[in-house]
């Protein structure tokens, strides 16, 4: 378990024995682990050299694990980040080289839900400026609620524009996860139906899930490298983005007439979310949602919900 920190399996076993008993002689350690005394002394000497254990007379005492292993953990994380950056650089060089050598390498096929999930995470992890996303209902590789990589990308300044199918917002936990993304800076809109699943990073790399592989039954996806095809996919995204309704679940109201809860309610209503899901997200009853909608209809001089949605757009209640 601690191999990533540079400990061998024997070193970890011996260290755990010392931590559990606080102090022990080489012979005691050997007896506990079925080693010879010479083997135990060799491992203990290695732990002393790594400053994980100190020797007092014939006894060995472990250093506090959080103190002794903490620097190794931080070093390991730093090494992992450097390795990840190196892999990203090599991958970019490989793709650039492949494109120059062979135009057929402009599209790579990724097979299997886990492989697609890893590619989607990598796409966000390596993004530097912007990620565009079509999120359809019934995800095939990664539910939106599990996409923590987006939050890390937002934190380092990557812009996210995400289009959600209305039906997706009805799925358990979807609105809560969406609200967290918006709070961190995601721009979100909703539309009744999207044509494909799609993610685009920096307008240079796109991931587009396809139909299941006929031979294996596994889902497949096309990884599209920088080309006119990526440009076409970006144009597709922009065309749907312009027609979609904005979602500002946790935003500050641009119009002082609206409370934050009213703004959230209207945003979800215009997005096509059902009264039941709106009530659950706001933590109120279904009847309260209906009453608040009636109040908003009166204030907007609307006779129906359709007129209310039209007035919301006309008055700019969700702009900003």
């Amino acid at each position: 378990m601690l191999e990533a920190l540079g400990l061998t399996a024997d070193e970890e076993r011996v260290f755990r024995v010392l931590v559990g008993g606080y102090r022990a002689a080489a012979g005691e350690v050997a007896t506990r682990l079925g080693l010879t005394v010479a083997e135990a002394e060799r491992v203990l000497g290695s732990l002393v050299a790594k400053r994980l254990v100190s020797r007092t007379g014939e006894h060995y005492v472990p250093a506090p694990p959080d103190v002794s292993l903490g620097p190794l953990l931080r070093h390991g994380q730093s090494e992992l980040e450097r390795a990840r950056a190196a892999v990203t650089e090599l991958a970019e060089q490989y793709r650039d080289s492949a494109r120059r050598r062979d135009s057929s390498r402009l599209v790579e096929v990724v097979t299997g839900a886990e492989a697609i999930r890893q590619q989607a995470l990598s796409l966000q992890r390596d993004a530097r400026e912007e990620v565009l996303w079509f999120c359809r209902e019934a995800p095939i590789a990664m539910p939106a609620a599990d996409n923590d990589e987006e939050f890390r990308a937002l934190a380092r300044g990557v812009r996210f524009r995400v289009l959600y199918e209305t039906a997706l917002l009805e799925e358990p936990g979807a609105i809560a996860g969406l609200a967290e993304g918006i709070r961190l800076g995601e721009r979100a809109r909703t539309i009744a139906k999207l044509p494909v699943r799609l993610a685009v990073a920096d307008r240079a790399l796109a991931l587009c899930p396809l139909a299941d592989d006929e031979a294996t039954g596994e889902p497949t996806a096309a990884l599209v490298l920088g080309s006119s095809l990526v440009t076409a996919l970006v144009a597709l995204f922009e065309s749907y983005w312009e027609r979609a309704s904005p979602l500002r679940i946790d935003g500050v109201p641009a119009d002082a007439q609206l409370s934050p809860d009213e703004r959230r309610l209207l945003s979800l209503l215009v997005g096509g979310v059902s009264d039941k899901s709106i009530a659950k997200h706001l933590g109120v009853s279904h009847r309260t949602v209906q009453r608040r909608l009636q109040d908003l209809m009166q204030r907007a001089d609307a006779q129906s919900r359709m007129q209310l949605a039209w007035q919301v757009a006309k008055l700019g209640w969700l702009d900003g």
Side-chain angles (χ1 to χ4, degrees):
M1 189 178 297
L2 299 179
E3 287 91 342
L5 301 184
L7 272 68
T8 66
D10 282 343
E11 287 172 344
E12 179 177 349
R13 291 171 64 211
V14 170
F15 187 66
R16 287 181 178 276
V17 166
L18 293 176
V19 169
Y22 180 66
R23 57 184 291 171
E28 296 175 74
V29 172
T31 301
R32 288 282 302 276
L33 297 178
L35 303 173
T36 66
V37 173
E39 288 172 334
E41 288 178 339
R42 177 182 56 79
V43 176
L44 286 164
S46 177
L47 291 172
V48 170
K50 293 180 177 181
R51 299 186 178 180
L52 299 178
V53 169
S54 60
R55 182 171 183 175
T56 305
E58 294 184 356
H59 291 88
Y60 294 85
V61 179
D66 54 342
V67 175
S68 59
L69 295 177
L72 294 178
L73 182 59
R74 288 190 292 273
H75 177 72
Q77 289 173 334
S78 177
E79 289 296 318
L80 180 60
E81 287 303 318
R82 282 196 288 270
R84 181 177 292 166
V87 169
T88 298
E89 181 181 0
L90 287 170
E92 290 177 353
Q93 291 176 357
Y94 169 79
R95 287 165 179 158
D96 288 343
S97 175
R99 284 196 294 272
R100 289 193 297 270
R101 294 195 312 270
D102 184 359
S103 62
S104 68
R105 300 305 299 270
L106 292 174
V107 177
E108 299 176 10
V109 177
V110 182
T111 302
E114 181 58 25
I116 295 172
R117 176 179 178 276
Q118 291 301 324
Q119 192 62 63
L121 292 173
S122 177
L123 180 145
Q124 297 171 91
R125 188 181 302 123
D126 299 338
R128 297 170 184 171
E129 296 181 3
E130 183 183 47
V131 173
L132 311 177
W133 207 294
F134 276 173
C135 286
R136 299 183 67 185
E137 63 174 320
I140 62 171
M142 180 175 61
D146 293 346
N147 187 17
D148 292 339
E149 198 61 54
E150 176 186 347
F151 301 154
R152 286 187 279 272
L154 285 166
R156 66 174 187 270
V158 178
R159 300 185 302 277
F160 272 72
R161 285 193 289 154
V162 186
L163 257 175
Y164 296 89
E165 276 192 347
T166 301
L168 177 62
L169 302 183
E170 302 285 349
E171 296 180 2
I175 294 178
L178 185 151
E180 177 65 10
I182 291 176
R183 187 184 68 79
L184 294 173
E186 173 190 309
R187 294 178 61 196
R189 294 187 179 184
T190 184
I191 198 166
K193 197 69 178 175
L194 289 169
V196 294
R197 306 178 195 277
L198 176 67
V200 183
D202 297 330
R203 300 178 179 244
L205 182 67
L207 183 66
C208 185
L210 307 171
D212 290 353
D213 184 278
E214 293 183 1
T216 64
E218 290 272 12
T220 62
L223 183 65
V224 186
L225 310 182
S227 65
S228 58
L229 181 53
V230 174
T231 302
L233 291 172
V234 171
L236 177 68
F237 176 90
E238 296 292 358
S239 69
Y240 274 81
W241 180 261
E242 289 301 318
R243 303 203 303 268
S245 301
L247 281 167
R248 294 184 175 86
I249 294 174
D250 288 328
V252 177
D255 191 315
Q257 299 178 63
L258 293 178
S259 70
D261 274 354
E262 288 172 334
R263 187 174 174 81
R264 283 191 281 268
L265 188 156
L266 283 175
S267 182
L268 293 170
L269 174 72
V270 172
V273 179
S274 67
D275 288 5
K276 181 179 178 181
S277 292
I278 293 174
K280 184 176 180 181
H281 175 69
L282 296 180
V284 299
S285 68
H286 183 263
R287 180 171 296 181
T288 297
V289 169
Q290 293 179 321
R291 176 176 55 76
R292 290 181 180 177
L293 283 172
Q294 288 296 323
D295 291 342
L296 288 166
M297 287 168 61
Q298 290 180 3
R299 288 160 59 183
D301 194 24
Q303 303 301 313
S304 67
R305 294 189 180 195
M306 184 175 294
Q307 287 184 346
L308 174 61
W310 184 82
Q311 286 287 68
V312 165
K314 179 182 176 183
L315 297 171
W317 281 0
L318 295 178
D319 292 344

